[in-house]
Amino acid sequence: MKNASPTIRDVAMAAEVSVATVSKYVNGTKRFSPEVESRLKETIEKLGYRSNPLARSMITGRTRTIGLAILDISNPHFTNVVKGANRVALEHDYTLLLVDTEENPARERALIEALAQRVDGLVISSRLSEKESTWMLELNKPVVMLRHSHELTIPTVGIDNRLATYMLARHLLNLGHRRIAYLGFGQASINDERIGGVRDCLSEVGLSLDLYDAHAPTAQAGEQVCSKVLLGPQRPQAVICYNDLIALGFMKEAKALGFRLPNDVSVTGIDNAPYGEYAEPTLTTVDTQSEKMGELATLKLVDALAGRADTAHLILEPRLIVRDSTSVCTDLAAGKT
Amino acid sequence: MKNASPTIRDVAMAAEVSVATVSKYVNGTKRFSPEVESRLKETIEKLGYRSNPLARSMITGRTRTIGLAILDISNPHFTNVVKGANRVALEHDYTLLLVDTEENPARERALIEALAQRVDGLVISSRLSEKESTWMLELNKPVVMLRHSHELTIPTVGIDNRLATYMLARHLLNLGHRRIAYLGFGQASINDERIGGVRDCLSEVGLSLDLYDAHAPTAQAGEQVCSKVLLGPQRPQAVICYNDLIALGFMKEAKALGFRLPNDVSVTGIDNAPYGEYAEPTLTTVDTQSEKMGELATLKLVDALAGRADTAHLILEPRLIVRDSTSVCTDLAAGKT
DNA sequence: TTGAAAGCGCTAACAG
DNA sequence: CTGTTAGCGCTTTCAA
């Protein structure tokens, strides 16, 4: 049976050296006399020895594992975060321990605390407010949060949400839209920032904002809330959605309701999900650089783990991506102001 | 400083019992006298003690971690696999150690071998052929593969690829199409099965099949190859794509080239990716139950880990999902046969 | 019901 | 350059 893997002892005996020598050889810590080196090499090869990472971790205190907690892998934003995190982790010889909390804030703490025990550090995306997140300081492990934050001393990587929606609102104003609605997702802590960005922009020209809420950050939720928005008393000329998924669902239902897009209503998302490009009309959105967020957050963590601490908050710049779901306001074109 | 986490010794001293007693209490192995129990409970609470999973794993030999190796998290098929795997893992108190091999077969082996050392068992999706995968038998860990396989003794979960494409071909034949092309992805080991399914169906009515190949299983690759397919000498009436991503890219480019879909050409994908529903036209596809694949594979592994071995190959049934990207052949409607 | 002692496989001083 | 020794934090016989 090959069942019992050889231990460092087996190698030491077979090669007639001490375990310490084997250990040093395996870790490349020192140099050896040619004969010992070749004997070790040969023996390790023959026995198929691989050092047990658990035992090593117990002593060194490092697991070369990074914990990544996200809210929903099905959401393209997080898919891209994972993509970026995975790449950087592999480059630095780390592995990702992944937890998908499935948009369930009640489970977050327990899951993340359990995760923290098995990793060297964590990258966390959370629905908890900053005040509800103070326990993260007591994990005694380096943490990088995926959000734009100031109150906590936890380093963060995020995008400028206010600017993102400000840009979208400005774009819509430029197209002549005046009745602009924001279709948000109230559970998200960044929702208020996004509302703020739209408000900032609209108030500059003395316009107010209609608010709607989707019950989830998903296409399905966007579909469900669509009729309420478009068939209500004050139909907006343009709708800014919390994310691309909501926007895609919203557009689908709008078309089903008989609206022509973008003529009857302009729609925007946020995130630059890969499939906004394949929708009809193609989706105007703001690129929030999800993959880069995952990369930079992981890099920040790797740096912290290597002693190069860096507690600064990193804020990425959003970039407006204009496609076909937004167009010149037809009310304007028709002279109705 | 709270830096040094309390160990089982600290608890033992503080509660004035032996470490063995603490261990048994923490693991709920035995019963205790009320006074000892309450003292332990209190002490553990006060010290914030949490047992070190590494040390436990070293002795028990189990890490309560499952390794999941996938080819590309950005591909919705794998996104759903991860979703399903994560759910089952959490339900059974396992955590996922994720590796995204980024469609790089050359790296697979090294990454998976490293992964295998840190987990109790693995769920693997690989581009390697069965012959190139024999080394997996020597990992000495339970493995479940995500594919439809027979040669190896490794248990698998997959879908019936032949049937999937057979169904699509039949559907297209029923719509009157005769010149049917398959736009595949040659790197995938299942590509041949999918070709086979189409061929089986077409040969029943004496038709042959045109083959094209995308260089990647992505929307971009679908876009790039589109003109070659549609502007070649023998324009197909219908195209079956290797997956939904290729189909989405193909459709986008087809529209850009001036083709009207589905009138000028019917298109199908495979996978039932979430966004096929939001494309225009909505995408006819075959549901390959990716999420369920992840669930069942993980469940199979959890069972194996619990001693309930089950080496059977599990084959899921594909389901045809007809949407708007396929329609009656217009050549037929125009009387051209 | 509780405790003492022997390790799990490895690394990290410290000697030689 | 190589070996000896002492643990890392925990579980697990085996006694008491």
Side-chain angles (χ1 to χ4, degrees):
Chain A
M1 293 297 276
K2 291 192 155 198
N3 241 333
S5 309
T7 75
I8 199 172
R9 275 196 153 85
D10 300 327
V11 176
M13 309 215 94
E16 293 175 310
V17 294
S18 74
V19 292
T21 305
V22 180
S23 173
K24 284 164 192 157
Y25 174 76
V26 168
N27 292 313
T29 316
K30 296 229 172 184
R31 286 187 184 165
F32 302 87
S33 63
E35 54 172 332
V36 171
E37 181 160 347
S38 71
R39 218 162 49 196
L40 276 173
K41 189 175 172 183
E42 190 184 340
T43 319
I44 287 176
E45 177 74 20
K46 196 175 65 188
L47 267 53
Y49 169 74
R50 316 209 59 178
S51 95
N52 180 331
L54 252 59
R56 180 212 249 76
S57 293
M58 245 191 61
I59 296 177
T60 63
R62 283 183 273 93
T63 62
R64 297 219 71 88
T65 300
I66 287 173
L68 176 58
I70 57 170
L71 301 170
D72 177 15
I73 186 67
S74 302
N75 182 326
H77 167 67
F78 293 111
T79 308
N80 284 328
V81 166
V82 173
K83 190 80 188 170
N86 177 74
R87 178 168 317 120
V88 172
L90 284 189
E91 274 167 12
H92 295 265
D93 204 27
Y94 279 91
T95 314
L96 288 185
L97 205 48
L98 180 78
V99 167
D100 181 336
T101 57
E102 302 201 316
E103 290 283 0
N104 185 342
R107 297 175 66 187
E108 278 186 23
R109 180 166 180 173
L111 287 175
I112 292 173
E113 283 184 338
L115 182 64
Q117 287 199 277
R118 331 183 84 264
V119 300
D120 293 345
L122 302 98
V123 173
I124 299 177
S125 189
S126 170
R127 284 274 174 255
L128 302 176
S129 69
E130 300 195 42
K131 278 170 192 163
E132 294 167 316
S133 305
T134 48
W135 53 268
M136 289 184 198
L137 295 168
E138 275 140 46
L139 293 175
N140 285 327
K141 302 260 168 122
V143 171
V144 175
M145 294 215 64
L146 293 174
R147 75 158 50 147
H148 171 160
S149 143
H150 341 260
E151 300 175 27
L152 254 46
T153 56
I154 297 176
T156 61
V157 176
I159 59 138
D160 189 333
N161 284 294
R162 286 187 101 88
L163 181 54
T165 47
Y166 186 97
M167 283 165 41
L168 286 169
R170 169 65 61 204
H171 167 64
L172 293 171
L173 287 177
N174 289 348
L175 289 172
H177 297 282
R178 288 300 174 268
R179 281 199 309 282
I180 295 174
Y182 175 75
L183 171 50
F185 171 55
Q187 314 276 323
S189 50
I190 55 175
N191 194 49
D192 286 344
E193 300 172 24
R194 294 192 174 175
I195 291 175
V198 185
R199 281 229 167 92
D200 284 354
C201 185
L202 294 191
S203 65
E204 287 177 12
V205 293
L207 291 174
S208 67
L209 175 66
D210 282 341
L211 288 180
Y212 296 90
D213 205 73
H215 70 273
T218 62
Q220 219 185 2
E223 278 185 66
Q224 286 171 7
V225 77
C226 179
S227 53
K228 181 176 171 188
V229 177
L230 291 184
L231 301 180
Q234 270 285 61
R235 173 153 70 86
Q237 297 162 330
V239 179
I240 297 174
C241 299
Y242 171 77
N243 70 10
D244 286 356
L245 290 181
I246 291 175
L248 287 174
F250 183 91
M251 291 204 301
K252 184 190 179 197
E253 181 70 3
K255 289 193 286 186
L257 292 174
F259 291 95
R260 285 167 317 136
L261 304 183
N263 299 321
D264 294 335
V265 58
S266 283
V267 179
T268 83
I270 297 175
D271 271 353
N272 193 23
Y275 308 109
E277 209 174 331
Y278 301 99
E280 173 88 11
T282 56
L283 184 63
T284 292
T285 187
V286 167
D287 186 0
T288 53
Q289 304 191 64
S290 312
E291 190 167 334
K292 181 152 258 174
M293 264 177 75
E295 277 177 12
L296 293 178
T298 307
L299 205 51
K300 223 177 167 67
L301 188 61
V302 167
D303 278 353
L305 257 19
R308 295 188 296 278
D310 159 22
T311 56
H313 298 297
L314 197 59
I315 298 172
L316 299 178
E317 301 271 306
R319 192 167 77 88
L320 180 67
I321 296 187
V322 177
R323 299 208 190 92
D324 302 333
S325 66
T326 49
S327 68
V328 171
C329 182
T330 49
D331 290 358
L332 188 76
K336 294 194 222 161
T337 300
Chain B
M1 294 297 277
K2 289 195 158 196
N3 240 332
S5 309
T7 76
I8 198 171
R9 274 196 152 84
D10 300 327
V11 176
M13 308 215 94
E16 294 175 312
V17 294
S18 73
V19 291
T21 304
V22 180
S23 173
K24 285 164 191 157
Y25 173 78
V26 169
N27 292 313
T29 317
K30 294 227 172 183
R31 286 187 184 164
F32 302 86
S33 62
E35 52 171 333
V36 171
E37 182 160 346
S38 71
R39 218 162 47 195
L40 276 173
K41 189 174 172 182
E42 191 184 339
T43 319
I44 288 176
E45 177 75 20
K46 196 175 65 187
L47 267 54
Y49 170 73
R50 314 209 60 176
S51 97
N52 179 331
L54 251 59
R56 181 210 249 81
S57 292
M58 243 190 63
I59 297 177
T60 62
R62 283 183 274 93
T63 62
R64 297 219 71 88
T65 300
I66 287 173
L68 177 58
I70 58 170
L71 302 170
D72 177 15
I73 187 67
S74 303
N75 182 325
H77 166 66
F78 292 111
T79 309
N80 284 328
V81 166
V82 173
K83 191 80 188 170
N86 177 75
R87 178 169 316 120
V88 172
L90 284 189
E91 274 168 13
H92 294 266
D93 204 27
Y94 279 91
T95 314
L96 287 186
L97 206 48
L98 180 79
V99 167
D100 181 336
T101 58
E102 304 201 317
E103 291 283 0
N104 185 342
R107 297 175 64 187
E108 279 186 23
R109 179 164 179 174
L111 287 174
I112 293 172
E113 284 184 337
L115 182 63
Q117 287 198 277
R118 332 183 83 264
V119 300
D120 294 345
L122 303 97
V123 173
I124 300 178
S125 189
S126 170
R127 285 272 175 256
L128 302 176
S129 70
E130 300 196 43
K131 279 169 192 164
E132 294 167 316
S133 305
T134 48
W135 53 270
M136 288 184 197
L137 296 167
E138 275 138 44
L139 293 175
N140 286 326
K141 302 261 167 117
V143 171
V144 175
M145 294 215 64
L146 293 174
R147 74 158 51 146
H148 170 162
S149 142
H150 341 260
E151 298 174 27
L152 255 45
T153 56
I154 297 176
T156 62
V157 176
I159 59 137
D160 189 334
N161 284 294
R162 287 188 100 88
L163 181 54
T165 47
Y166 186 98
M167 283 164 42
L168 286 169
R170 168 66 63 203
H171 167 63
L172 292 171
L173 286 177
N174 290 346
L175 290 173
H177 297 281
R178 288 300 173 266
R179 280 199 311 281
I180 295 174
Y182 174 75
L183 172 49
F185 171 55
Q187 315 275 322
S189 49
I190 55 175
N191 194 48
D192 287 344
E193 300 171 25
R194 294 191 175 175
I195 292 175
V198 185
R199 281 230 166 91
D200 285 355
C201 184
L202 294 192
S203 65
E204 287 177 11
V205 293
L207 291 175
S208 67
L209 175 65
D210 281 342
L211 289 181
Y212 296 91
D213 204 74
H215 71 272
T218 62
Q220 217 185 5
E223 278 185 66
Q224 286 171 6
V225 77
C226 179
S227 52
K228 181 177 172 186
V229 177
L230 291 184
L231 301 180
Q234 272 283 62
R235 174 153 68 88
Q237 297 163 329
V239 180
I240 297 174
C241 298
Y242 170 77
N243 70 10
D244 286 355
L245 291 181
I246 291 176
L248 288 174
F250 183 90
M251 292 204 301
K252 183 191 180 198
E253 180 70 4
K255 289 192 285 186
L257 292 174
F259 292 95
R260 286 166 316 138
L261 305 181
N263 299 321
D264 294 336
V265 58
S266 283
V267 179
T268 81
I270 298 175
D271 272 352
N272 193 22
Y275 309 109
E277 210 174 330
Y278 300 98
E280 173 89 12
T282 56
L283 184 64
T284 293
T285 188
V286 167
D287 186 1
T288 53
Q289 305 191 63
S290 312
E291 189 167 336
K292 181 153 257 174
M293 264 178 74
E295 278 177 13
L296 292 178
T298 308
L299 205 52
K300 222 177 168 68
L301 188 60
V302 167
D303 278 354
L305 259 17
R308 296 186 296 276
D310 159 24
T311 56
H313 299 296
L314 198 59
I315 298 170
L316 298 179
E317 301 269 308
R319 193 167 76 89
L320 181 66
I321 297 187
V322 177
R323 299 208 188 92
D324 302 332
S325 67
T326 51
S327 69
V328 171
C329 182
T330 49
D331 290 357
L332 188 77
K336 295 195 220 163
T337 300

